[in-house]
Amino acid sequence: MQKAQQEMTSVKAALLSFAMLSAIVLCGLGIYAADAANNHNAVDGYGVTASLR
């Protein structure tokens, strides 16, 4: 039997980073779309959307 490699290679790290960032972006888009579907104004945290009304 061969010994399994337990180390993190640069390819594995890049794929894991890409998957994590993709999940964060998809969750953010889902929250934004759900707010937009319910006629809820998006909040950016800086008051820019409030000043544009």
Side-chain angles (χ1 to χ4, degrees):
M1 242 193 315
Q2 291 182 345
K3 188 177 178 181
Q5 288 184 343
Q6 297 295 327
E7 61 189 34
M8 178 69 77
T9 63
S10 58
V11 175
K12 288 181 184 177
L15 290 174
L16 183 62
S17 297
F18 177 74
M20 182 179 63
L21 289 174
S22 298
I24 291 170
V25 169
L26 286 175
C27 288
L29 285 175
I31 292 170
Y32 184 81
D35 284 344
N38 291 323
N39 293 328
H40 186 268
N41 291 331
V43 177
D44 56 11
Y46 296 105
V48 176
T49 55
S51 66
L52 293 175
R53 290 187 216 165

